[in-house]
Amino acid sequence: MSTTERTRALRRHMIVEARRATVEHGLHGFTIEQLCETVGVSRRTFFNHFASKDDAVLGIEINADVEVIDEYAAGGVVPGELDPLDSVVALAIDQFHRIGIARSDEVLIRQVFEREPALVARFLSATDVQLARITESVRRRFAWDDPTDRRARLVTEAAAALLKVTAETYFDDAFDEATGPAFEALLTENLRLLRAVTTTERESTT
């Protein structure tokens, strides 16, 4: 296992244990020191990865994807011939490969929000910040330098909508993981459906 993989596994371990502790005891029912003891890391190590206990519970890691987003903005990470929407979806798939995704994660975070509803607003705020970062990276990648150009925002919001619909399907209790498509395949299919319906609508009006 590489250093990057070990770091990723450690971060994931801290996130899962923080969420489990929150579900069991509430956000204020355990300390960072207790979490560190459970995971087997020092307080200093914890703060190398997370700015606060809340961030650990929500999985908001310090500078976790800055390098990847910067590389994407510079034309890397995903194939350069992809159009803007395809490239953002490919970036999302790349991130899922890097961090992994499991339906059990969604169940746990749902339980966290049920126990601590106030964290929902914090999560939504963090999501808005991330969307803004992705929007700026799209702007840089495709050299849309005019600050009034709305294309980067439209592309990012469209990709976010695709991810939302895909996640709602994949994490639904009725979804059969054994027979259903993988998250990546489902996201790719939803992108195909979106393009098909928009193309059909365009052709029908010409």
Side-chain angles (χ1 to χ4, degrees):
M1 183 182 291
S2 69
T3 300
T4 299
E5 290 171 334
R6 285 196 298 271
T7 299
R8 192 176 300 133
L10 176 60
R11 282 175 166 170
R12 181 175 176 79
H13 187 27
M14 285 192 280
I15 290 169
V16 169
E17 291 303 327
R19 289 173 177 172
R20 286 175 177 166
T22 300
V23 171
E24 184 174 354
H25 305 291
L27 186 61
H28 302 295
F30 68 100
T31 65
I32 289 175
E33 288 74 15
Q34 289 170 326
L35 175 61
C36 290
E37 183 177 353
T38 299
V39 178
V41 299
S42 67
R43 181 181 172 89
R44 178 177 180 179
T45 297
F46 174 88
F47 283 109
N48 282 340
H49 298 285
F50 302 100
S52 67
K53 185 168 58 175
D54 296 35
D55 282 3
V57 174
L58 294 174
I60 302 171
E61 306 166 15
I62 296 175
N63 298 329
D65 53 5
V66 170
E67 290 184 3
V68 172
I69 290 178
D70 284 346
E71 185 180 350
Y72 167 83
V77 183
V78 301
E81 66 271 15
L82 294 179
D83 69 25
L85 182 55
D86 278 347
S87 75
V88 177
V89 170
L91 176 65
I93 291 172
D94 175 80
Q95 288 296 87
F96 287 135
H97 284 167
R98 291 172 188 267
I99 66 177
I101 186 169
R103 297 181 77 231
S104 59
D105 294 338
E106 193 276 340
V107 172
L108 194 53
I109 193 63
R110 190 191 308 171
Q111 293 172 341
V112 166
F113 289 152
E114 289 173 354
R115 181 68 188 256
E116 296 286 352
L119 286 176
V120 175
R122 174 78 175 87
F123 176 77
L124 293 175
S125 176
T127 300
D128 287 343
V129 170
Q130 182 72 349
L131 284 175
R133 292 172 60 199
I134 297 296
T135 298
E136 179 58 27
S137 71
V138 172
R139 192 186 310 280
R140 289 165 54 196
R141 183 182 180 96
F142 294 96
W144 292 336
D145 300 323
D146 184 347
T148 64
D149 193 332
R150 297 185 296 274
R151 286 178 293 177
R153 173 74 183 277
L154 290 168
V155 165
T156 305
E157 294 291 345
L162 281 166
L163 285 165
K164 182 176 184 291
V165 172
T166 302
E168 287 175 352
T169 302
Y170 184 78
F171 291 119
D172 188 273
D173 292 337
F175 183 84
D176 188 345
E177 194 172 5
T179 59
F183 189 92
E184 174 183 339
L186 188 58
L187 176 58
T188 302
E189 173 64 8
N190 283 340
L191 174 61
R192 185 193 69 78
L193 289 172
L194 177 63
R195 288 201 180 280
V197 72
T198 53
T199 299
T200 300
E201 290 294 328
R202 185 173 65 249
E203 289 177 346
S204 67
T205 57
T206 57

